[in-house]
Amino acid sequence: MKIGIDKIGFYAPHLYVDMTKLADRRNVDPDKFTIGIGQDKMAVAPITQDAVTLAANAALGILDEQDKNDIDFVIFGTETGVDSSKSAAVYVHELLGLNPYARAIEVKQACYGATAGIQMAKAHIAMNPESKVLVLGSDIARYGLNTPGEATQGAGAVALLVSAAPHIMSLEDQSVYVTSDIMDFWRPVYSDKAFADGKLSNEQYMAFFSKVWQQYKAKSGLGLENFEAITFHLPYTKMGKKALKPVLEETTEDVQERLKANYQLSTGYNRNVGNIYTGSLYLSLLSLLEQKDDLAAGSRIGLFSYGSGAVGEFFTGILQNDYRDHLHVKQHAELFAARKEVTVDEYEAIFEETLPTDGSRVELDINNDPAKICLAGVTDHKRQYVNKLR
Ligand code: CAA
């Protein structure tokens, strides 16, 4: 039985800051951000968006009534969840009006959470071929104003519908995963900003990719020539390029050129959104599929997932016949086109805005947020979400 990705949705908040303007303000050469790090625009989440609403908006764009009825498992990967107890998946389940006879859980391992979700979904579908699983990767990446990590912030979510007989990509069974206790990036429970040992995190990302790739080759007997493209978790778009470069020497120039060109296409969306942590790998996959209109059905795509701390996994999928008919290219192009630039001053003010933590009531103005699902306020320590379509 084929199991894999049936639909992919994406949502980013409607605001962004231009990286050249941020570089100017920080007295940094803009080329460092746009070339050295590889980011052009950074999504900025208004206070009316959080990990829950971003994910719900991403899923809203792809699910039909049949899907809502068939989904019996919601797996929410996030490292910027809104509650230490209640899962973000339960909120999304309600906001989307899903079948009540469903499981809903949150999964955490830094940027790896959604990949764990996909693998769990695959096992669930193998046991229950009629069901569908909604896997969400949603985050707001925050390091702080004027920090080295600032240029690698971002916000957004990807929603993946996993099913039997998938329309977009079937997942192959070979997969290599590895865990090692490393303090390269972390966020203690008392902090709303992440800490990173930037140099160590870059080194470990590359070391993990090298490790899982070598092991994958030994296990599968396949090599780079068997891949049309390899997509990466992208904390910033230069990162995957740095990891891919050393292994390219294993293959012919033709294959190198193909993988490099497809890598470039797989970074397009991420370059304009920033790091969305758990969703980043899947945003990169989406970027490749939606921006390259001649990727042949039957092509094998590699996926490298990396969650600091750290867990890495390399797995693969095969593009299905007519997969392009099941993408939402126009919807995503419209989403990018409708975004609004904010100045650096406005971005800084939005960054500093916080919700009360003392139980006091706040009502937020959701009229300025074009998203259909928004955070409308907080009352008695309870977040109040609104689906404007209801
Ligand atoms: N023109 C062109 N390039 C320039 C330049 C210029 N004027 N100035 C600098 N550069 C280049 C540098 O040469 C460097 O390139 P290489 O990496 O190819 O050597 C690049 O720009 C970045 O420069 P620095 O290394 O000096 O940058 P930095 O130390 O200020 O910060 C960072 C970079 C470490 C990634 C930092 O943004 C950070 O800490 N980010 C958060 C952590 C992170 O994203 N880690 C990635 C791996 S961890 C992971 O993947 C999980 C996750 O999502 C967080």
Side-chain angles (χ1 to χ4, degrees):
M1 174 175 49
K2 281 185 185 176
I3 302 173
I5 300 171
D6 194 51
K7 293 184 178 179
I8 313 180
F10 159 63
Y11 187 76
H14 70 294
L15 305 175
Y16 71 87
V17 69
D18 185 302
M19 295 303 282
T20 59
K21 293 177 188 164
L22 183 63
D24 282 345
R25 176 64 69 88
R26 302 289 181 250
N27 289 320
V28 169
D29 179 352
D31 285 354
K32 175 173 174 183
F33 288 178
T34 57
I35 301 169
I37 285 177
Q39 294 301 132
D40 290 339
K41 291 176 182 167
M42 184 168 90
V44 174
I47 195 137
T48 45
Q49 292 294 311
D50 63 16
V52 168
T53 59
L54 293 170
N57 284 306
L60 194 65
I62 57 165
L63 302 182
D64 59 27
E65 290 310 310
Q66 187 66 48
D67 297 328
K68 289 181 189 177
N69 200 47
D70 293 346
I71 290 169
D72 67 357
F73 199 177
V74 185
I75 307 176
F76 196 125
T78 185
E79 54 186 297
T80 57
V82 299
D83 196 296
S84 295
S85 178
K86 180 168 175 168
S87 88
V90 173
Y91 291 110
V92 172
H93 175 271
E94 202 287 322
L95 283 162
L96 298 176
L98 303 182
N99 160 32
Y101 294 97
R103 293 181 177 131
I105 60 165
E106 190 170 308
V107 174
K108 180 180 71 184
Q109 178 25 59
C111 307
Y112 175 74
T115 302
I118 286 178
Q119 299 300 354
M120 271 191 260
K122 191 168 172 244
H124 179 78
I125 302 286
M127 300 284 284
N128 307 276
E130 302 303 319
S131 88
K132 292 179 184 168
V133 181
L134 179 62
V135 178
L136 303 158
S138 179
D139 278 301
I140 299 176
R142 285 165 65 88
Y143 296 90
L145 304 178
N146 245 312
T147 60
E150 184 181 26
T152 63
Q153 296 177 153
V158 174
L160 303 134
L161 190 65
V162 179
S163 72
H167 284 109
I168 296 179
M169 191 166 95
S170 66
L171 295 168
E172 295 187 289
D173 288 338
Q174 293 277 11
S175 174
V176 173
Y177 32 91
V178 61
T179 293
S180 181
D181 184 1
I182 295 156
M183 288 306 279
D184 62 330
F185 168 104
W186 66 104
R187 187 169 67 83
V189 286
Y190 51 78
S191 176
D192 69 349
K193 298 177 197 79
F195 296 90
D197 181 338
K199 193 166 177 294
L200 179 68
S201 69
N202 287 350
E203 285 166 7
Q204 290 302 325
Y205 177 111
M206 289 195 281
F208 269 62
F209 176 64
S210 169
K211 215 179 274 182
V212 290
W213 170 246
Q214 298 308 331
Q215 182 75 6
Y216 174 82
K217 276 192 306 179
K219 216 170 145 180
S220 67
L222 300 177
L224 290 175
E225 58 285 359
N226 302 106
F227 285 83
E228 188 61 28
I230 298 183
T231 54
F232 289 81
H233 163 61
L234 292 177
Y236 54 97
T237 69
K238 179 83 162 292
M239 188 72 252
K241 189 176 176 181
K242 282 155 76 90
L244 181 63
K245 196 169 174 230
V247 306
L248 283 178
E249 286 157 20
E250 295 171 5
T251 189
T252 62
E253 266 184 34
D254 281 1
V255 176
Q256 288 189 20
E257 288 315 311
R258 181 176 79 219
L259 293 176
K260 281 197 280 189
N262 286 338
Y263 175 76
Q264 220 38 50
L265 289 168
S266 77
T267 61
Y269 287 0
N270 307 65
R271 175 175 271 281
N272 287 292
V273 173
N275 193 357
I276 62 166
Y277 290 161
T278 40
S280 282
L281 166 62
Y282 304 98
L283 182 57
S284 171
L285 173 67
L286 190 65
S287 182
L288 174 72
L289 300 185
E290 294 194 344
Q291 290 186 89
K292 186 165 167 69
D293 49 21
D294 60 349
L295 263 183
S299 297
R300 175 176 288 109
I301 311 288
L303 295 99
F304 173 59
S305 182
Y306 179 74
S308 287
V311 178
E313 178 156 352
F314 185 80
F315 64 108
T316 62
I318 304 289
L319 293 180
Q320 300 300 290
N321 287 337
D322 304 322
Y323 71 92
R324 279 196 74 78
D325 297 345
H326 300 274
L327 298 171
H328 292 77
V329 184
K330 191 162 164 278
Q331 186 190 106
H332 297 142
E334 284 168 2
L335 188 151
F336 277 110
R339 293 195 306 167
K340 184 170 157 270
E341 183 179 346
V342 291
T343 64
V344 176
D345 284 338
E346 287 167 333
Y347 144 68
E348 291 185 344
I350 294 169
F351 189 92
E352 299 287 16
E353 213 177 341
T354 52
L355 294 167
T357 54
D358 60 358
S360 57
R361 179 189 170 93
V362 64
E363 272 180 48
L364 302 172
D365 182 2
I366 57 169
N367 295 320
N368 291 326
D369 185 340
K372 299 196 176 70
I373 296 176
C374 294
L375 174 66
V378 184
T379 311
D380 295 334
H381 298 286
K382 295 173 198 155
R383 287 185 183 232
Q384 309 296 322
Y385 292 108
V386 169
N387 180 344
K388 295 176 186 169
L389 298 176
R390 283 179 177 168

